[in-house]
Amino acid sequence: MTTTRAIHDRSQSKKAAASGWIGSALEYYDFFIYATAASLIFPQIFFPSENPTVAIIASLATYGVGYVARPIGAFVLGHWGDTHGRKTVLIVCMFLMGISTMAVGLLPTYHQVGILAPILLVILRLVQGFAVAGEISGASSMILEHAPFGRRGFYASFALQGVQAGQILAAAVFLPLAAYMPTEAFNSWGWRIPFLLSFFVIVAGYIIRREVDETPAFAREGERGETPRSPIVQAIKLSWRDMLRVICMALMNVIPVVATIFGAAYAVQPAYGIGFAKDVYLWIPVLGNMLAIFVIPFVGNLSDKVGRKPPIVVGALLSGLLAFGYLYAISIRNVPLAILLSLLMWGVVYQGYNAIFPSFYPELFPTRTRVSAMAISQNIGTTITALLPALFATVAPPGSDNIPLTVGAIAFGITVIAALAAVSARETYRIRIDDLGNPKAVPMPQADYERQRAEAAGGAAAVQT
């Protein structure tokens, strides 16, 4: 009986990790094809203007609009995840994201319907932002609560490895289109293809996620009658300090903003005068994310040995410093150097944060409010950073001096805030799952932790984190 349960639990651990990986990859494919299009093509087809700076700022602002909807989605979907279960909310997120992304691919352009085109684009971006708000918090909580003992960091990192894979897929779809299609055809209909492919996201996502059971931790809350009616109220009342820490740590989203949003506009848009070819520049985030896929599980596993905080602090500070060099490489039109620095900043160093937050954030909160607390605080933080592309384009517009220094200084200052927030948080990797979210919880002694972790890894212990 015990052996059967252990086998079942290990099977569910793997299914939960696979569901988180594939689901995040598919959903963030949808989210990031918009980001790519906002940098490369939308200024011309949805926001034509005699002033190219205005067109760039308007297009990048619609990228930020998706993040404005995220706190709203976090409240709604976080509540759903804490009251109806992690599995249900992830399926809802998948359908909302897939349908709204397909609809973007069917929109008329500004030249066809005028101002209605950007209005519809903004509405659909709001739906995207609403849907994605519950993805990472729901997927991270599900994987964490299914994970084997002492492996929460490793297993939860797969949710973010999936996000990186989604970004690779998004760029990989655009690469051949931008490289081989005639410009007129690409601007007319070719850009729509990646959005319409989201039909397969809906189908694949549903098939994958219906196979995962609800988590044992959530089920125990229900059996004890401890499922809250108002998890958001409880989260704010009991965990506001940790929610504030997560908001500050989530400001680390400034690094992908610099790498893939402002960096793309700076390198590609004619107004900036850098002149990187679209297909060449798209390889920069692709190669960085390819490297990140290998780095993420390594860092996640490392955090199960040394703790969550050290990788986050180191990753925050070093990636912030590398932002200067990355933007400088673009400014001097040095493609090999830009690629090398992107590999270091985005592909390696930033993953010290990126691989760890899917375990660290939910570990700061108790089961009954975990999805709500993480979703709300993380999405508030990322919403703040989503306003940065338009800010960067405003303080460092085409024709201005010292663009790498100006934007790099802002990015580094933000990463310092994130690092300080991590330093102030309590360490969580040796705390039992039922004690997570309790500031007074006592970590398991290191020797006992290592012994039980080894037993769980060897299959001798049933999954009970």
Side-chain angles (χ1 to χ4, degrees):
M1 185 72 175
T2 301
T3 302
T4 301
R5 179 185 174 187
I7 293 173
H8 171 76
D9 287 341
R10 288 197 296 275
S11 173
Q12 280 297 307
S13 296
K14 294 176 181 179
K15 286 183 178 180
S19 169
W21 191 98
I22 298 174
S24 294
L26 294 175
E27 192 153 343
Y28 273 81
Y29 161 80
D30 284 353
F31 200 67
F32 282 108
I33 57 174
Y34 187 103
T36 304
S39 298
L40 303 183
I41 188 67
F42 285 176
Q44 287 77 37
I45 63 175
F46 284 107
F47 304 96
S49 172
E50 294 181 0
N51 186 337
T53 300
V54 172
I56 294 171
I57 293 174
S59 182
L60 293 181
T62 66
Y63 167 79
V65 162
Y67 284 86
V68 171
R70 287 178 68 155
I72 301 172
F75 275 91
V76 176
L77 298 171
H79 174 88
W80 192 281
D82 282 326
T83 55
H84 292 80
R86 288 45 166 144
K87 177 179 179 178
T88 303
V89 75
L90 290 175
I91 292 175
V92 170
C93 291
M94 183 70 69
F95 275 98
L96 286 173
M97 177 63 80
I99 292 172
S100 61
T101 304
M102 283 180 59
V104 171
L106 298 173
L107 285 180
T109 67
Y110 184 91
H111 293 295
Q112 293 172 321
V113 297
I115 193 65
L116 180 62
I119 290 174
L120 292 174
L121 182 69
V122 168
I123 292 172
L124 292 174
R125 183 60 174 175
L126 287 169
V127 177
Q128 274 195 328
F130 180 93
V132 82
E135 170 62 31
I136 290 299
S137 57
S140 298
S141 296
M142 171 169 277
I143 298 173
L144 185 88
E145 293 169 5
H146 271 301
F149 186 87
R151 304 299 303 280
R152 295 195 302 243
F154 175 71
Y155 272 74
S157 71
F158 282 95
L160 258 292
Q161 191 189 50
V163 172
Q164 308 307 121
Q167 293 183 67
I168 292 173
L169 185 60
V173 170
F174 269 94
L175 277 173
L177 294 175
Y180 299 113
M181 285 190 71
T183 301
E184 184 177 346
F186 180 75
N187 290 352
S188 175
W189 58 269
W191 67 270
R192 300 178 184 273
I193 295 173
F195 290 91
L196 297 177
L197 290 175
S198 292
F199 170 78
F200 298 101
V201 171
I202 300 173
V203 176
Y206 176 72
I207 292 173
I208 293 161
R209 289 192 158 164
R210 70 179 181 179
E211 296 297 320
V212 183
D213 294 341
E214 191 49 79
T215 70
F218 181 82
R220 288 196 296 270
E221 293 286 315
E223 292 170 359
R224 292 195 293 258
E226 296 179 359
T227 303
R229 290 186 177 182
S230 301
I232 297 169
V233 174
Q234 285 196 26
I236 295 173
K237 181 179 179 180
L238 301 176
S239 305
W240 67 269
R241 292 178 180 85
D242 287 319
M243 291 180 71
L244 183 59
R245 290 185 177 97
V246 170
I247 290 172
C248 292
M249 285 187 282
L251 296 177
M252 277 297 297
N253 193 57
V254 66
I255 296 301
V257 166
V258 168
T260 63
I261 308 303
F262 178 77
Y266 182 37
V268 171
Q269 286 300 321
Y272 276 106
I274 300 298
F276 279 27
K278 290 180 181 179
D279 55 343
V280 171
Y281 181 76
L282 280 171
W283 278 105
I284 291 178
V286 169
L287 293 174
N289 285 318
M290 289 175 66
L291 181 57
I293 282 182
F294 294 97
V295 173
I296 283 174
F298 171 80
V299 178
N301 187 57
L302 179 66
S303 77
D304 286 326
K305 299 177 181 179
V306 303
R308 314 295 189 223
K309 293 166 61 173
I312 290 180
V313 172
V314 173
L317 296 178
L318 290 184
S319 60
L321 287 172
L322 285 168
F324 288 102
Y326 172 68
L327 293 171
Y328 174 73
I330 294 176
S331 73
I332 62 173
R333 300 175 176 84
N334 191 324
V335 174
L337 183 61
I339 292 175
L340 174 62
L341 290 175
S342 78
L343 290 176
L344 291 175
M345 178 185 71
W346 171 261
V348 179
V349 178
Y350 174 73
Q351 304 312 318
Y353 160 80
N354 206 36
I356 306 305
F357 87 77
S359 55
F360 192 42
Y361 287 2
E363 285 177 339
L364 291 172
F365 307 111
T367 302
R368 61 184 179 274
T369 62
R370 180 165 293 135
V371 180
S372 295
M374 177 180 173
I376 292 168
S377 48
Q378 183 203 4
N379 282 292
I380 289 175
T382 53
T383 296
I384 294 171
T385 62
L387 302 176
L388 291 175
L391 173 64
F392 291 159
T394 302
V395 301
S400 61
D401 297 326
N402 299 320
I403 290 176
L405 182 61
T406 301
V407 176
I410 296 173
F412 179 66
I414 292 172
T415 61
V416 170
I417 293 173
L420 291 174
V423 169
S424 72
R426 63 188 177 278
E427 189 55 82
T428 57
Y429 77 113
R430 287 188 284 120
I431 297 177
R432 293 184 181 277
I433 195 164
D434 289 337
D435 293 329
L436 292 175
N438 178 7
K440 298 181 180 179
V442 178
M444 179 181 293
Q446 186 72 41
D448 292 343
Y449 171 79
E450 294 295 344
R451 176 179 55 80
Q452 292 191 33
R453 182 173 181 270
E455 291 174 352
V463 173
Q464 175 59 47
T465 56

